[in-house]
Amino acid sequence: MRPSMFRSLQSAVARSSSAHIARRGYSADSVPERKVAVLGAAGGIGQSLSLLMKLNPLVSKLALYDIAGTPGVAADVSHINTRSEVAGYMGDDQLAKALEGSDVVIIPAGVPRKPGMTRDDLFNINAGIVKSLCSAIAKYCPNALVTMISNPVNSTVPIAAEVFKKAGVYDEKRLFGVTTLDVVRAKTFYAGKANVNVAEVNVPVVGGHAGITILPLFSQATPKANLSDEDIRALTKRTQDGGTEVVEAKAGKGSATLSMAYAGAIFADACLKGLNGVPDVVECSYVQSNITELPFFASKVRIGKNGVEEVFGLGPLSEYEKEGLEALKPELRSSIEKGIQFANQS
Ligand code: NAD
């Protein structure tokens, strides 16, 4: 990326946050101190995400943790002349320091998919990683908002919830599965098909974060467009298979990293704005929910000073979306149960 592009990205991030800051009536000088920790910061997602969080003026301290490689990533990112102080932490014995005082913890630690693998195939490795990281979060920053990127999100979020419950610190308002990439994809694909300005597009995506559990609600997409049933089916399928499209194109070199870092940064920014009291911060996220019979479900949520302030219902669905909703429930339920069982067994 050319330096001018970095500068425009940095100022775009700064401008969007400044607008929210101004709406809250405090100046950029009085932005609250906020520490963000990235766990898995030296990975494909982690490095780009660390860069994007360094560009976010709402962050005052940025802790970059991984089991390897963080001194280099932290040294590199720390030279960028933005607000936050950056520190790198490596290995188990530095995890406590990385976490202490964190307001938001972002978890992209774990292995990514290779062609032919489903997100569920990652379960055994990533479930263990998430479990140990969440045990440390419970100990060192139990009040942080935890944003889970590690797959399979449909199971890793329930695992985190169980770990926090066992430690006596579970607050359902503070745990989020990051499904923002599904929203990002749905917006991009819809804008292309409907020939509308992508910057103005909104598409809620509900359910979970794997295959058919990803349910984009194109009937609620704005700006409205007259798309055929066939178009909607194709857009739905492409959104559900977006991750696989990238995994196959990368041909064994991992899964989505750049678009995921962007999505993770958008979601973390929403958490920071919510914590800072910016009103009406709404994003889709996979959270503890009672809008369906499933204990975890992705839908629009309002994020505020305590985390999730409101979980919104699904709104009116088309017949096609109603069918999709019923079809996803058994798979999502079994992924949730698998996570809960793992957390309680091992
Ligand atoms: P990667 O292999 O490039 O990076 C993962 C990083 O995690 C590595 O640096 C590794 O050292 C680190 N790590 C492993 N164990 C750790 C531990 N115990 N503590 C801290 N760090 C640890 O993988 P990636 O492409 O960055 O993907 C990371 C995860 O994100 C995968 O699980 C992937 O499936 C998931 N993902 C999620 C979404 C989503 O939409 N939620 C999208 C894409 C990828």
Side-chain angles (χ1 to χ4, degrees):
M1 202 185 274
R2 292 195 314 272
S4 59
M5 289 173 75
F6 266 123
R7 277 197 298 276
S8 59
L9 177 59
Q10 184 184 338
S11 61
V13 173
R15 269 198 310 276
S16 79
S17 294
S18 313
H20 282 274
I21 289 164
R23 274 209 291 281
R24 282 297 294 161
Y26 51 71
S27 74
D29 297 340
S30 62
V31 184
E33 301 280 306
R34 295 288 177 201
K35 177 172 170 180
V36 173
V38 181
L39 311 184
I45 296 168
Q47 291 203 31
S48 307
L49 184 54
S50 300
L51 165 65
L52 293 173
M53 296 319 294
K54 176 67 176 137
L55 300 184
N56 190 320
L58 300 183
V59 183
S60 57
K61 278 196 176 145
L62 184 58
L64 306 183
Y65 174 81
D66 204 304
I67 49 173
T70 27
V73 177
D76 194 354
V77 168
S78 72
H79 289 186
I80 296 171
N81 58 325
T82 54
R83 178 186 183 209
S84 53
E85 257 173 50
V86 180
Y89 302 91
M90 189 168 71
D92 273 356
D93 53 344
Q94 295 189 5
L95 181 53
K97 273 223 148 51
L99 291 173
E100 271 161 8
S102 294
D103 297 288
V104 176
V105 179
I106 315 173
I107 313 184
V111 290
R113 281 194 292 162
K114 299 253 159 69
M117 286 170 92
T118 65
R119 290 181 177 90
D120 248 7
D121 293 334
L122 306 173
F123 184 89
N124 288 333
I125 304 172
N126 289 355
I129 293 173
V130 162
K131 194 174 172 208
S132 72
L133 291 173
C134 288
S135 304
I137 292 168
K139 213 161 158 188
Y140 300 111
C141 56
N143 296 321
L145 301 191
V146 176
T147 74
M148 183 71 69
I149 292 175
S150 310
N151 271 318
V153 166
N154 289 355
S155 304
T156 52
V157 169
I159 291 172
E162 290 303 301
V163 171
F164 294 149
K165 277 181 204 165
K166 278 200 181 140
V169 300
Y170 182 51
D171 177 354
E172 72 273 14
K173 295 190 165 94
R174 296 178 179 272
L175 176 61
F176 303 85
V178 181
T179 57
T180 319
L181 182 51
D182 303 320
V183 177
V184 164
R185 287 178 175 141
K187 286 179 175 178
T188 305
F189 302 157
Y190 178 84
K193 186 57 90 181
N195 200 18
V196 291
N197 179 358
V198 70
E200 287 167 13
V201 169
N202 264 310
V203 185
V205 181
V206 302
H209 175 67
I212 62 156
T213 71
I214 300 168
L215 183 62
L217 303 181
F218 287 113
S219 68
Q220 296 175 21
T222 53
K224 290 272 171 230
N226 253 342
L227 297 180
S228 67
D229 289 354
E230 199 186 319
D231 284 339
I232 298 291
R233 276 172 206 274
L235 283 174
T236 302
K237 177 107 178 67
R238 190 167 179 213
T239 306
Q240 291 172 334
D241 293 346
T244 305
E245 190 177 314
V246 177
V247 168
E248 282 170 3
K250 290 197 174 179
K253 297 226 161 66
S255 59
T257 53
L258 303 170
S259 51
M260 181 59 240
Y262 169 76
I266 297 256
F267 193 74
D269 184 59
C271 290
L272 291 164
K273 284 174 181 151
L275 286 175
N276 289 354
V278 174
D280 294 325
V281 178
V282 175
E283 291 288 336
C284 289
S285 180
Y286 180 65
V287 294
Q288 183 175 312
S289 167
N290 54 18
I291 66 165
T292 69
E293 61 273 35
L294 297 170
F296 293 92
F297 200 84
S299 67
K300 281 196 211 168
V301 301
R302 189 194 335 272
I303 306 170
K305 287 186 172 173
N306 299 306
V308 176
E309 280 187 349
E310 186 175 358
V311 178
F312 292 96
L314 297 177
L317 303 184
S318 67
E319 282 310 309
Y320 176 62
E321 289 160 357
K322 282 182 193 160
E323 278 166 28
L325 176 62
E326 289 316 308
L328 72 80
K329 285 179 182 171
E331 182 179 327
L332 187 50
R333 181 182 296 285
S334 105
S335 300
I336 293 168
E337 282 167 2
K338 193 171 170 186
I340 294 174
Q341 203 175 22
F342 173 87
N344 290 318
Q345 242 170 23
S346 45

